[in-house]
């Protein structure tokens, strides 16, 4: 059983987003329609930045740049972690290739009235219309979205293809913060695993 899902109150969020964009556009001498129209004009990149910022604050939606020539070591070393699990470098690689933007969404699981199982987390991604992330999304998200996670709410990347460890056990990636400490490490998947309701998850929207 789950409680009523309180995460998305779409009409209210939509109204807030429109209001925020209108206010920010007015400060620049325009309106929301002009701001959206200016997205096609390279000299007005601020419009896209404003829209990204509003959606991140209101709906936990973040555009993340993936691809490029940097190695996983270079990206992780530039991410400002206090520490990270070195075996990530041994077991994971980045796909590289041409840079592109991925739309990621951070969602909570507090609408459950219990700590959900793996199967329920998988179903929650599907219910929200989200794909499970790849290693590329996790590594670049951690580098680009530095203010997350917040203390007490780890951000989990429930990988589409969990990484196999010793003994055949699967693991996924996790961002964790405690005070000034910010870490990037593994979470192991065991039979009967349940996820604490304070956790946040990252999905990818096509």
């Amino acid at each position: 059983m789950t409680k009523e899902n309180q995460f998305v109150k779409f009409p209210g969020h939509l109204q807030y987003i429109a209001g925020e964009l209108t206010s920010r556009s007015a400060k620049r001498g325009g309106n929301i329609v002009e701001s959206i129209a200016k997205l096609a004009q390279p000299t007005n990149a601020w419009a896209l930045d404003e829209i990204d910022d509003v959606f991140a604050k209101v709906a936990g939606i973040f555009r993340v740049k993936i691809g490029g020539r940097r190695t996983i070591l270079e990206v992780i070393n530039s991410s400002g972690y206090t520490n990270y699990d070195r075996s990530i470098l041994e077991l994971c690689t980045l796909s590289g290739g041409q840079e592109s933007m991925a739309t990621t969404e951070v969602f909570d699981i507090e609408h459950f009235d219990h700590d959900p199982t793996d199967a329920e987390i998988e179903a929650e991604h599907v219910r929200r219309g989200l794909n499970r992330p790849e290693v590329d999304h996790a590594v670049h998200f951690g580098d680009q979205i530095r203010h997350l996670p917040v203390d007490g709410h780890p951000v989990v990347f429930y990988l589409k293809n969990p990484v196999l460890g010793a003994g055949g056990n699967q693991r996924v990636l996790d961002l964790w913060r405690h005070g000034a400490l910010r870490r990037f490490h593994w979470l192991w998947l065991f039979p009967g695993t349940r996820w604490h309701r304070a956790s946040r998850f990252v999905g990818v929207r096509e």
Side-chain angles (χ1 to χ4, degrees):
M1 294 288 293
T2 62
K3 299 177 182 178
E4 180 184 355
N5 188 347
Q6 297 295 318
F7 177 75
V8 176
K9 297 183 182 297
F10 184 77
H13 279 172
L14 187 59
Q15 183 178 19
Y16 180 84
I17 289 169
E20 274 289 298
L21 291 176
T22 300
S23 175
R24 294 178 184 217
S25 298
K27 292 178 181 178
R28 294 178 180 268
N31 58 51
I32 186 171
V33 176
E34 292 174 349
S35 294
I36 294 174
K38 287 175 180 178
L39 295 182
Q41 302 176 29
T43 57
N44 288 291
W46 64 264
L48 185 56
D49 291 339
E50 294 283 20
I51 290 173
D52 280 351
D53 186 54
V54 171
F55 273 86
K57 290 180 178 179
V58 176
I61 298 173
F62 301 89
R63 295 194 331 134
V64 175
K65 183 183 294 183
I66 61 174
R69 296 183 177 180
R70 290 195 299 167
T71 66
I72 189 169
L73 174 62
E74 290 172 327
V75 177
I76 288 180
N77 279 346
S78 72
S79 299
Y81 298 123
T82 310
N83 58 54
Y84 61 88
D85 193 317
R86 297 283 172 173
S87 66
I88 295 173
L89 303 178
E90 301 167 7
L91 298 173
C92 299
T93 58
L94 298 179
S95 58
Q98 185 173 354
E99 289 186 341
S100 62
M101 301 301 295
T103 300
T104 63
E105 296 186 24
V106 179
F107 64 89
D108 66 46
I109 53 173
E110 293 181 354
H111 57 282
F112 285 95
D113 57 9
H114 59 276
D115 291 341
T117 64
D118 282 336
E120 288 174 311
I121 293 301
E122 292 175 13
E124 186 67 11
H125 281 79
V126 173
R127 187 183 73 80
R128 293 173 178 270
L130 298 171
N131 294 326
R132 289 160 61 183
E134 304 279 4
V135 168
D136 290 67
H137 298 114
V139 172
H140 287 292
F141 185 101
D143 180 41
Q144 297 169 40
I145 314 300
R146 301 288 183 91
H147 68 283
L148 291 180
V150 297
D151 206 336
H153 296 283
V155 171
V156 180
F157 300 88
Y158 196 81
L159 299 175
K160 179 179 179 181
N161 298 298
V163 176
L164 291 178
N169 289 320
Q170 296 182 324
R171 44 188 163 178
V172 297
L173 290 164
D174 170 79
L175 283 173
W176 178 90
R177 187 190 297 275
H178 180 69
L181 303 177
R182 182 174 183 258
R183 298 174 178 172
F184 187 46
H185 59 89
W186 298 111
L187 289 177
W188 294 85
L189 304 181
F190 296 106
T193 295
R194 287 186 175 273
W195 296 92
H196 195 281
R197 290 173 60 240
S199 300
R200 303 290 186 260
F201 288 80
V202 176
V204 181
R205 189 170 297 283
E206 292 292 339

